[in-house]
Amino acid sequence: MFTLAEVASLSDIQPTYRILKPWWDVFMDYLAVVMLMVAIFAGTMQLTKDQVVCLPVLQSTVNSKVQPDTSGKAEFTTVETTTGQEEASVRTVSFGSTYTVTPDILLSRATSSQYQPTESGQELKKEQKDSSGRKTNLDFQQYVFINQMCYHLALPWYSKYFPYLVLIHTIILIVSSNFWFKYPKTCSKIEHFVSILGKCFESPWTTKALSETACEDSEENKQRLTGAQSLPKYVSTSSDEGSPSASTPMITKSGFKFSADKPMIEIPSVTILDKKDGEQAKALFEKVRKFRAHVEDSDLIYKLYVGQTVIKTVKFIFILCYTANFVNTISFEHICNPKVEHLIGYTQFECTHNMAYMLKKLLISYISLICVYGFICLYTLFWLFRIPLKEYSFEKVREESSFSDIPDVKNDFAFLLHMVDQYDQLYSKRFGVFLSEVSENKLRGISLNHEWTYEKLRQHVSRNAQDKQELHLFMLSGVPDAVFDLTDLDVLKLELIPEAKITAKISQMTNLQELHLYHCPAKVEQTAFSFLRDHLRCLHVKFTDVAEIPAWVYLLKTLRELYLIGNLNSENNKMIGLESLRELRHLKILHVKSNLTKIPPNITDVAPHLTKLVIHNDGTKLVVLNSLKKMTNVAELELQNCELERIPHAIFSLSNLQELDLKSNSIRTIEEIISFQHLKRLTCLKLWHNKIVSIPSSITHIKNLESLYLSNNKLETLPAAVFSLQKLRCLDVSYNSITVIPVEIGLLQNLQHFHITGNKVDILPKQLFKCVKLRTLSLGQNCITSIPDKVSQLLQLTYLELKGNCLDRLPATLGQCQLLRKSGLIVEDHLFDALPSEVKEVLNQDTSIPFANGI
């Protein structure tokens, strides 16, 4: 046997699952327990007291034939049936001489026969006259035998198996009620949901958020903020909402102006989250987001619950139909025909069932319970199909709170929330807080401000190459409020901060002139925008999609430098919104690093005042350049990595052009260079990192050229025309295939920087050292075997690179180069060590002087 506790364990579920048990499931569980008790009680009674008592049905008066026995005594058993009490008594009568009853003699014959009594026969005859029962010729074992036979033959089967049927049906109903808690594919989701729901309900952030929104939306709170006196009764009943009301200014700060009229006395009542609570709340937001994505994809839980409800309903109908027919079959009296006349001597018996009355009452009780159970199942089905349970709306929560962005959910997620509402609607209301992005952003802001204090931000401030104070914030959830207290900050870099918000407090940063927004579509308040519009001078915007560029960028009237880095291909050019650049009336420098196939025509809107245009492509061929003709005031133009094969003709119309950089293109010939003679102001020409094989002699027409960069090309010779540029101060022909330095180099009396590293030069002409203004001389990675002593004529030389040649010694005259120091001498260590000690001493002077100056 099993105990009640063991059977009841089938319905055991985790205590936390009770929030998913609506009233009807709870009621049905109790009904199942009662039915289980009925089954066990009936079974116990049946096993311990259930029995059938049978008596033979006699056709006439019972007379038994007595035969003498050798012992001289006679006895027989008579069964007296008392009509009023319906009970049988067995009485043994003894005679003086022994006689036995012969059961093989027919009853009619035995009753008609006479026997001769002995001396004690008179007493027996008297006793027979006193007896009112009818005698049978059965012994005790025969009665036991016939009782057992008739128990199985005469009783209806339902009377015998009623307890077991009730037990089986109840177990099936219990299993059906809780199967969705046990099935692995639904159990895991339910367990995860209940765990998250409990944490959301108990989270301090939930209390804070709901309390704040309650204070914001309640009329009583508004009256309290304006100084109105609240009724004492209201104060006592709304103490919970009143506590965090001071946080209202912090939450409603997202507008374009501050509410300065908030009572300061309410600030101490703000609910403050410690770091641990904040981290737990942020983790909950992430868990809820992932759980929603996982559960909303299917409706398995809903289908399983509907299925088990249908099974219980069908089970109820089945039980009710067949059980009702057996109510009248349970009776106290039964007629039994066991067909064992050859053993007993009788063909028919009348039997009584002592448990009939009790079983009938238990059956009626069971039918009543199962009817109530079935009606609840029908109500459950009505509830399941009355409304669409695979959709759940937080409309009421949105109306009661400031979180108007709480989304509606569907499928299993929606069904679970409907089930929770049957337990307590406050659970779903609190759960909705963690579905709101507004709520999450508020939490991030609070946690961010707790973590990034003024002192911590001050430690991250550094000085950049321009000796400006710079702060770089990377991958934060927002912009800490303490940032705006760094009033002496010059440069602010915000990178990968998707929810960046610039508040009005930025107006305190009077020194701020440069702002970097890297993948950071920052939002600004109106006051903050007014400040940036009047004070910001330089803006860097890095983006993946053009939509990430904040709209307010194109309205910064005093902006002078704009750097745009991101995807701006031809398909998206119309989306860039550069037509707004016409508002940037003071823009001087425009830097675009993208993948353009043509220059956006809207850039010409700033042409009248633009002085520098930089376009860095990612290798995409820049085809259309006609827009350049309108930029007549551009002084510096850079077209890098644009796959240009020739110098664009549109450039020759830029009469004010002073510097041209065509780095990293595919230019092979520069015959068009003759047209540069019209660019009277051109002083710097950078054609490096191309595929140029020769320099045309027409380069002499660029008479004002001061810097010429031709490194990383395929040049083999330097034409004499290059050395006719008398104003040339910098010549870079590094990393080519030049073998000879022409003697005409001596004509460049203004040359200050000469770079010929990475070529095939083996001899240095003496005329090179006539360029007495040389400050930088790069001769490394060539085939030079010796350095002339005339190097001493370069009195202004500060940098000399000789490493990677075939030198065996250095001239001692290096010591006469007064400005040359060891740090500026790039040469092998063994060559330097071979110098005379006095020369090394001169060259080593810089090792102590800067150190002393540093101290």
Side-chain angles (χ1 to χ4, degrees):
M1 280 295 293
F2 40 79
T3 63
L4 177 62
E6 292 173 338
V7 177
S9 65
L10 295 173
S11 64
D12 284 349
I13 58 173
Q14 296 185 20
T16 53
Y17 286 1
R18 66 181 182 276
I19 61 176
L20 295 177
K21 301 278 286 187
W23 68 265
W24 53 81
D25 278 351
V26 175
F27 197 31
M28 284 192 287
D29 284 346
Y30 282 117
L31 288 175
V33 172
V34 175
M35 288 188 285
L36 192 64
M37 295 176 65
V38 169
I40 294 175
F41 175 73
T44 303
M45 294 292 292
Q46 189 178 53
L47 291 174
T48 58
K49 296 185 178 181
D50 191 21
Q51 61 180 352
V52 171
V53 178
C54 299
L55 289 175
V57 177
L58 304 178
Q59 302 299 329
S60 59
T61 304
V62 179
N63 290 316
S64 300
K65 182 178 180 180
V66 180
Q67 295 181 356
D69 191 44
T70 57
S71 62
K73 295 182 180 180
E75 68 176 14
F76 62 92
T77 304
T78 61
V79 181
E80 297 180 356
T81 303
T82 305
T83 305
Q85 298 179 355
E86 295 184 352
E87 60 181 1
S89 62
V90 180
R91 185 161 56 90
T92 303
V93 182
S94 299
F95 295 91
S97 58
T98 303
Y99 293 91
T100 59
V101 179
T102 57
D104 56 340
I105 301 174
L106 295 176
L107 183 61
S108 61
R109 181 178 177 183
T111 56
S112 62
S113 62
Q114 299 293 329
Y115 61 89
Q116 298 297 326
T118 63
E119 292 179 355
S120 62
Q122 296 298 329
E123 297 177 2
L124 176 60
K125 185 175 182 181
K126 183 179 179 181
E127 186 177 351
Q128 289 176 344
K129 289 180 179 179
D130 296 336
S131 175
S132 60
R134 304 183 69 181
K135 299 180 177 62
T136 63
N137 299 322
L138 300 178
D139 60 14
F140 178 75
Q141 291 187 353
Q142 289 176 320
Y143 276 109
V144 172
F145 172 75
I146 200 63
N147 289 344
Q148 293 180 356
M149 286 289 294
C150 291
Y151 180 83
H152 294 284
L153 296 177
L155 288 185
W157 70 272
Y158 196 79
S159 298
K160 296 180 288 186
Y161 301 111
F162 165 72
Y164 308 104
L165 291 174
V166 174
L167 179 61
I168 293 173
H169 292 325
T170 305
I171 292 176
I172 293 175
L173 293 176
I174 291 174
V175 172
S176 300
S177 295
N178 299 285
F179 184 70
W180 69 313
F181 291 128
K182 305 292 185 180
Y183 187 57
K185 290 186 178 180
T186 56
C187 176
S188 59
K189 294 180 180 179
I190 293 173
E191 183 177 357
H192 196 186
F193 173 75
V194 171
S195 174
I196 294 177
L197 187 65
K199 293 178 181 178
C200 293
F201 188 85
E202 298 174 355
S203 174
W205 171 247
T206 312
T207 304
K208 176 178 174 62
L210 291 178
S211 298
E212 287 177 352
T213 55
C215 290
E216 291 173 1
D217 298 334
S218 64
E219 186 65 28
E220 292 82 2
N221 182 60
K222 293 179 181 179
Q223 294 175 357
R224 183 164 54 85
L225 290 177
T226 55
Q229 296 296 329
S230 302
L231 294 176
K233 181 178 180 181
Y234 171 76
V235 174
S236 62
T237 57
S238 63
S239 59
D240 293 339
E241 292 86 2
S243 176
S245 62
S247 59
T248 302
M250 178 169 56
I251 300 300
T252 58
K253 203 190 289 185
S254 59
F256 291 122
K257 56 184 179 180
F258 294 96
S259 299
D261 57 342
K262 302 295 181 182
M264 296 302 294
I265 58 174
E266 297 185 15
I267 293 180
S269 64
V270 177
T271 303
I272 300 299
L273 293 177
D274 58 24
K275 184 177 181 180
K276 182 179 179 181
D277 292 336
E279 292 299 323
Q280 289 178 348
K282 287 192 289 185
L284 277 178
F285 274 104
E286 186 64 23
K287 287 182 179 180
V288 170
R289 185 162 39 248
K290 291 182 178 180
F291 178 78
R292 179 189 174 193
H294 175 61
V295 176
E296 274 193 321
D297 292 338
S298 67
D299 57 353
L300 178 61
I301 298 178
Y302 171 76
K303 290 180 178 179
L304 190 60
Y305 188 84
V306 172
Q308 70 182 31
T309 304
V310 171
I311 290 174
K312 290 188 292 185
T313 306
V314 173
K315 188 71 175 174
F316 145 72
I317 297 174
F318 170 73
I319 295 173
L320 189 62
C321 289
Y322 88 86
T323 303
N325 295 329
F326 292 107
V327 176
N328 295 326
T329 62
I330 300 177
S331 63
F332 182 75
E333 296 180 356
H334 299 277
I335 301 299
C336 178
N337 299 300
K339 296 182 181 180
V340 290
E341 184 180 354
H342 62 288
L343 298 176
I344 305 300
Y346 301 98
T347 60
Q348 192 176 47
F349 294 84
E350 185 169 349
C351 305
T352 60
H353 186 202
N354 66 332
M355 285 290 296
Y357 179 79
M358 179 62 70
L359 286 178
K360 194 167 186 177
K361 297 299 182 183
L362 290 175
L363 179 57
I364 294 174
S365 300
Y366 176 66
I367 292 175
S368 302
L369 292 172
I370 204 67
C371 287
V372 176
Y373 193 97
F375 288 135
I376 296 176
C377 288
L378 293 175
Y379 173 81
T380 305
L381 288 176
F382 169 74
W383 179 78
L384 286 172
F385 297 107
R386 180 174 59 90
I387 57 175
L389 297 181
K390 292 197 292 184
E391 298 176 2
Y392 189 91
S393 175
F394 285 96
E395 182 178 359
K396 186 176 181 180
V397 180
R398 291 193 290 263
E399 292 175 355
E400 295 177 354
S401 68
S402 62
F403 305 130
S404 58
D405 66 323
I406 301 178
D408 295 337
V409 295
K410 58 183 180 179
N411 289 335
D412 281 344
F413 199 4
F415 176 69
L416 290 173
L417 289 173
H418 280 295
M419 296 295 284
V420 169
D421 280 350
Q422 298 301 315
Y423 182 81
D424 189 348
Q425 293 185 354
L426 185 59
Y427 275 91
S428 58
K429 182 177 181 181
R430 285 174 167 261
F431 192 79
V433 172
F434 288 88
L435 291 170
S436 169
E437 291 187 6
V438 174
S439 173
E440 186 174 6
N441 293 337
K442 289 181 179 180
L443 173 65
R444 287 176 177 174
I446 294 174
S447 300
L448 186 69
N449 291 330
H450 287 173
E451 180 181 0
W452 290 87
T453 60
Y454 176 84
E455 292 75 15
K456 183 175 180 179
L457 289 170
R458 176 58 68 183
Q459 295 175 359
H460 285 74
V461 175
S462 61
R463 288 196 173 272
N464 60 14
Q466 291 77 32
D467 197 30
K468 294 181 178 180
Q469 292 197 58
E470 176 182 299
L471 175 62
H472 187 187
L473 299 179
F474 177 73
M475 290 188 69
L476 299 182
S477 58
V479 181
D481 291 341
V483 168
F484 307 115
D485 296 329
L486 302 173
T487 56
D488 56 345
L489 200 64
D490 299 311
V491 181
L492 177 60
K493 292 185 178 181
L494 306 177
E495 183 173 0
L496 292 174
I497 304 179
E499 300 296 334
K501 183 177 181 181
I502 301 176
T503 64
K505 290 181 65 178
I506 198 174
S507 57
Q508 302 174 171
M509 307 174 69
T510 54
N511 290 340
L512 184 66
Q513 294 188 349
E514 184 174 343
L515 179 63
H516 296 245
L517 301 176
Y518 293 161
H519 302 288
C520 180
K523 300 178 182 179
V524 298
E525 296 181 1
Q526 184 61 40
T527 306
F529 169 72
S530 301
F531 172 80
L532 293 174
R533 181 188 58 194
D534 298 335
H535 292 82
L536 198 62
R537 297 293 180 265
C538 180
L539 177 63
H540 294 248
V541 182
K542 189 174 183 179
F543 53 91
T544 302
D545 187 83
V546 69
E548 296 179 18
I549 303 177
W552 52 268
V553 167
Y554 306 106
L555 302 175
L556 301 174
K557 297 181 179 180
T558 61
L559 192 67
R560 296 186 179 183
E561 300 180 25
L562 177 60
Y563 295 79
L564 299 177
I565 305 172
N567 184 15
L568 293 174
N569 56 38
S570 58
E571 290 80 11
N572 293 337
N573 274 339
K574 295 182 180 180
M575 299 170 61
I576 192 173
L578 289 180
E579 62 273 11
S580 300
L581 288 179
R582 63 173 57 96
E583 299 294 331
L584 307 181
R585 299 169 186 173
H586 293 86
L587 189 66
K588 301 296 183 182
I589 299 175
L590 177 60
H591 187 292
V592 180
K593 187 175 182 180
S594 183
N595 54 346
L596 298 173
T597 57
K598 62 180 180 180
I599 297 179
N602 293 324
I603 289 183
T604 58
D605 293 338
V606 294
H609 42 81
L610 197 65
T611 60
K612 183 177 181 179
L613 175 62
V614 179
I615 297 179
H616 285 194
N617 259 10
D618 61 354
T620 304
K621 189 172 184 178
L622 189 61
V623 181
V624 181
L625 295 168
N626 293 332
S627 300
L628 291 176
K629 295 181 180 180
K630 300 179 181 180
M631 300 182 184
T632 55
N633 291 324
V634 170
E636 298 181 30
L637 176 62
E638 294 184 18
L639 302 176
Q640 296 188 16
N641 204 16
C642 297
E643 288 297 317
L644 300 176
E645 297 179 356
R646 305 180 73 90
I647 300 176
H649 290 278
I651 294 177
F652 305 137
S653 302
L654 306 178
S655 57
N656 291 312
L657 190 64
Q658 298 178 12
E659 181 177 333
L660 176 63
D661 188 349
L662 300 178
K663 181 181 178 180
S664 299
N665 284 282
S666 300
I667 300 175
R668 296 179 179 275
T669 177
I670 53 174
E671 296 297 332
E672 303 89 348
I673 203 171
I674 190 173
S675 299
F676 283 143
Q677 62 182 328
H678 304 296
L679 307 180
K680 303 298 183 181
R681 298 184 179 182
L682 185 63
T683 59
C684 180
L685 180 60
K686 297 180 179 180
L687 300 173
W688 45 0
H689 296 270
N690 280 280
K691 301 177 182 179
I692 301 172
V693 296
S694 63
I695 302 174
S697 58
S698 57
I699 197 173
T700 57
H701 296 289
I702 316 178
K703 298 185 179 298
N704 294 322
L705 197 62
E706 297 180 0
S707 301
L708 179 61
Y709 295 85
L710 293 168
S711 63
N712 294 90
N713 279 282
K714 298 182 179 180
L715 299 175
E716 296 181 356
T717 58
L718 289 176
V722 173
F723 306 106
S724 64
L725 303 173
Q726 296 298 320
K727 295 184 179 181
L728 200 63
R729 294 188 301 168
C730 179
L731 177 61
D732 186 358
V733 290
S734 301
Y735 300 102
N736 282 278
S737 300
I738 300 173
T739 57
V740 177
I741 299 177
V743 296
E744 288 83 358
I745 193 172
L747 300 176
L748 301 177
Q749 293 299 310
N750 292 314
L751 190 65
Q752 297 180 8
H753 307 278
F754 181 49
H755 304 274
I756 197 169
T757 301
N759 283 275
K760 301 177 182 179
V761 177
D762 55 357
I763 299 177
L764 295 179
K766 296 180 180 180
Q767 288 79 3
L768 174 63
F769 303 103
K770 292 183 179 180
C771 303
V772 295
K773 294 183 179 181
L774 273 176
R775 296 182 180 180
T776 303
L777 181 59
S778 300
L779 302 172
Q781 302 181 32
N782 279 280
C783 303
I784 302 172
T785 56
S786 63
I787 304 297
D789 293 339
K790 290 188 176 182
V791 70
S792 60
Q793 298 178 8
L794 305 179
L795 300 179
Q796 299 184 22
L797 190 66
T798 59
Y799 182 87
L800 176 61
E801 180 186 357
L802 298 173
K803 194 172 185 178
N805 284 282
C806 302
L807 299 172
D808 55 1
R809 67 178 183 85
L810 295 177
T813 54
L814 279 176
Q816 300 178 20
C817 300
Q818 300 176 0
L819 300 179
L820 185 64
R821 296 292 181 265
K822 182 180 179 181
S823 60
L825 178 60
I826 311 301
V827 68
E828 288 82 356
D829 292 339
H830 71 278
L831 293 177
F832 181 81
D833 294 339
L835 287 170
S837 58
E838 60 274 11
V839 175
K840 290 191 290 184
E841 184 178 352
V842 172
L843 295 176
N844 283 327
Q845 288 181 0
D846 64 328
T847 58
S848 58
I849 294 176
F851 181 75
N853 292 337
I855 296 178

